[in-house]
């Protein structure tokens, strides 16, 4: 039988991932601290803690992959039209708007995908918190199980 205390701790484990908006790496620190302090008290808390940490680690991995694909394309497109030898300052600097490069489309698509993934991440965290509050288990989608 689950107690309200166990449900509340599991809920706060998920909600503590929002601390990243205040504390750098708070999305890892908060859940890890709550999980480590309470994992031996309940299997319910242990499972929710692992899920929250696995999801945050998966999101980090996906963000690194998208970043390594998007940032070089953006930088390459940004500097592809600048001639560094004839660059004499910003008074001669002009932007030539011509035919968009396919790199711009690929980078834009990946950037839009990253924004959509961020919104979905927030939605999944709220859903997991509500499930924990109700005493149900929740498995985040697209999660790699680093902790088993």
């Amino acid at each position: 039988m689950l107690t309200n205390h166990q449900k509340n701790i599991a809920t706060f484990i998920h909600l503590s991932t929002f601390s990243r908006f205040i504390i750098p790496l708070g999305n890892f620190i908060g859940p890890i601290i709550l999980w480590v302090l309470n994992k031996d008290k309940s299997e319910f808390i242990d499972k929710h803690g692992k899920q929250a940490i696995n999801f945050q680690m998966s999101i980090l991995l996906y963000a690194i992959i998208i970043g390594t694909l998007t940032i070089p394309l953006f930088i390459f497109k940004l500097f592809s039209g600048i001639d560094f030898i004839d660059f004499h300052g910003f008074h001669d600097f002009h932007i030539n708007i011509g035919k968009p490069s396919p790199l711009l489309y690929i980078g834009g698509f990946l950037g839009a995908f990253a924004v959509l993934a961020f919104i979905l991440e927030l939605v999944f965290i709220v859903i997991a918190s509500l499930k924990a509050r109700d005493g149900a288990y929740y498995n985040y989608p697209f999660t790699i199980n680093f902790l088993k």
Side-chain angles (χ1 to χ4, degrees):
M1 180 78 181
L2 291 174
T3 65
N4 281 337
H5 181 67
Q6 292 169 338
K7 293 177 191 177
N8 288 340
I9 290 175
T11 302
F12 286 128
I13 287 173
H14 294 290
L15 291 177
S16 68
T17 60
F18 289 129
S19 65
R20 72 173 167 195
F21 297 115
I22 299 170
I23 303 167
L25 298 176
N27 57 327
F28 294 104
I29 296 169
I32 288 172
I33 289 172
L34 288 172
W35 175 65
V36 167
L37 293 175
N38 297 291
K39 68 181 179 176
D40 297 330
K41 297 177 184 174
S42 168
E43 182 180 330
F44 183 74
I45 294 171
D46 185 44
K47 183 163 174 40
H48 276 278
K50 287 178 182 177
Q51 276 297 308
I53 295 166
N54 283 334
F55 183 63
Q56 291 303 312
M57 289 174 33
S58 298
I59 291 296
L60 176 64
L61 179 65
Y62 299 146
I64 290 171
I65 291 170
I66 290 174
T68 56
L69 295 175
T70 306
I71 292 171
L73 294 177
F74 176 75
I75 291 172
F76 179 73
K77 177 60 183 160
L78 183 67
F79 291 118
S80 65
I82 297 175
D83 187 5
F84 290 105
I85 296 172
D86 294 332
F87 184 72
H88 298 292
F90 287 106
H91 64 279
D92 291 334
F93 185 76
H94 68 280
I95 297 174
N96 183 11
I97 300 176
K99 182 179 176 186
S101 168
L103 294 178
L104 185 64
Y105 293 124
I106 294 169
F109 171 75
L110 289 173
F113 180 73
V115 170
L116 177 65
F118 174 73
I119 293 169
L120 285 174
E121 175 190 2
L122 300 179
V123 169
F124 293 147
I125 292 169
V126 170
I127 291 171
S129 300
L130 294 174
K131 292 283 188 177
R133 180 198 67 183
D134 295 337
Y137 289 106
Y138 182 73
N139 292 322
Y140 286 98
F142 311 112
T143 301
I144 301 167
N145 288 325
F146 296 103
L147 302 173
K148 294 183 185 196

